């Protein structure tokens, strides 16, 4: 059965002020912790682990109406440290390629 998935595309930009010996993308962990908290509370679900695609990092959310998933993507974009330029792609579980679908500016 095909289900709606929203990909949250975050530019893969190093956190400003991170030294050369530190992990340059600590915001990825921030988003993962946020999503885990949603899952633990039963208020959201991730479709798959985050993944790099070209110069972006993608998070996948599903199991809710589109409007709720887009609202969730906006919350991700507003998390501390998350780079500017986040957008969503509305797709489904049958899609064979990431990044293919209707783009939603956040």
């Amino acid at each position: 059965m095909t289900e709606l998935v929203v990909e949250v595309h975050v530019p893969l930009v190093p956190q400003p002020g991170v030294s050369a010996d530190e992990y340059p993308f600590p915001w990825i962990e921030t988003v993962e912790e946020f999503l885990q908290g949603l899952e633990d509370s039963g208020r959201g679900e991730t479709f798959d682990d985050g993944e790099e695609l070209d110069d972006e990092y993608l998070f996948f959310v599903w199991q809710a109406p589109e409007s709720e998933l887009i609202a969730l993507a906006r919350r991700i974009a507003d998390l501390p440290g998350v780079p500017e330029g986040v957008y969503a792609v509305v797709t489904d579980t049958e899609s064979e390629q990431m990044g293919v679908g209707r783009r939603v500016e956040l």
Side-chain angles (χ1 to χ4, degrees):
M1 177 175 173
T2 302
E3 293 191 51
L4 182 72
V5 174
V6 169
E7 301 172 356
V8 183
H9 291 243
V10 182
L12 198 55
V13 176
Q15 180 89 27
V18 174
S19 68
D21 61 332
E22 292 179 295
Y23 182 60
F25 311 110
W27 52 265
I28 292 175
E29 189 172 304
T30 300
V31 174
E32 288 174 344
E33 288 173 0
F34 170 76
L35 291 172
Q36 185 61 51
L38 286 176
E39 281 193 10
D40 291 346
S41 69
R43 297 186 334 242
E45 191 167 331
T46 56
F47 176 69
D48 202 354
D49 292 333
E51 194 164 323
E52 284 186 41
L53 177 66
D54 300 324
D55 58 351
E56 299 175 326
Y57 198 87
L58 280 59
F59 300 93
F60 308 91
V61 292
W62 72 325
Q63 300 282 310
E66 181 178 334
S67 61
E68 290 180 30
L69 295 175
I70 296 300
L72 178 58
R74 283 190 177 98
R75 289 178 61 194
I76 290 170
D78 290 338
L79 288 172
V82 172
E84 296 288 320
V86 179
Y87 65 94
V89 172
V90 179
T91 186
D92 62 53
T93 55
E94 296 297 315
S95 180
E96 294 183 17
Q97 284 187 303
M98 295 180 295
V100 177
R102 183 172 46 86
R103 183 175 171 142
V104 178
E105 296 300 327
L106 304 173

